[in-house]
Amino acid sequence: MERIEFYRQCIRDLLTKEATLNEKNSNVESQLVFDTEHDHYQLIDIGWENLNRIYNCFIHIDIKDSKIWIQHNMTDVDLALKLVEMGVAKEEIVLGLHPPYKRPHTGYGVA
């Protein structure tokens, strides 16, 4: 359980930092969604740009089966590498955005 709480804190720190870096447009708000009960974490942008509605999920990370799953990453940040730099073991990170047949070749964990 201590390890899962460490993962939660790493994910919160990582997403908070990314949200701060994305604050450029006053009409578009970066929102952090932390569902700590079900271990779903997202960074989304929401707002308006002229007459266009903005609603984008940039990052989605889950904790499933005691591993960190990177489900979606629309940034140029290597989230897995950032997590490793924070102290998470590579085999505890699953690149869920890659198909299952590719995961054994990524150097990270598999489901």
Side-chain angles (χ1 to χ4, degrees):
M1 194 62 188
E2 197 171 292
R3 183 171 50 121
I4 298 300
E5 189 53 44
F6 171 68
Y7 292 169
R8 289 176 179 140
Q9 188 59 51
C10 288
I11 294 167
R12 285 191 297 257
D13 291 348
L14 182 60
L15 294 185
T16 300
K17 181 178 177 187
E18 290 304 313
T20 303
L21 294 174
N22 287 332
E23 292 178 356
K24 297 175 188 163
N25 182 342
S26 63
N27 295 324
V28 179
E29 176 186 0
S30 291
Q31 292 186 355
L32 295 166
V33 180
F34 296 159
D35 175 359
T36 55
E37 183 177 343
H38 301 98
D39 283 321
H40 304 296
Y41 305 87
Q42 294 182 337
L43 169 61
I44 62 172
D45 275 359
I46 187 168
W48 289 90
E49 194 170 86
N50 300 319
L51 295 177
N52 297 315
R53 178 71 172 155
I54 305 295
Y55 185 89
N56 297 313
C57 174
F58 283 95
I59 298 173
H60 178 163
I61 300 175
D62 294 331
I63 298 174
K64 291 177 25 179
D65 301 323
S66 301
K67 292 186 178 185
I68 297 175
W69 284 67
I70 299 174
Q71 304 284 19
H72 190 68
N73 180 11
M74 295 302 292
T75 71
D76 57 356
V77 176
D78 186 337
L79 299 175
L81 179 61
K82 294 286 184 189
L83 289 167
V84 169
E85 291 172 350
M86 297 169 100
V88 178
K90 288 181 91 172
E91 58 271 11
E92 298 298 313
I93 301 168
V94 178
L95 303 179
L97 44 84
H98 289 307
Y101 71 89
K102 284 188 176 179
R103 292 181 199 150
H105 309 291
T106 64
Y108 289 95
V110 294

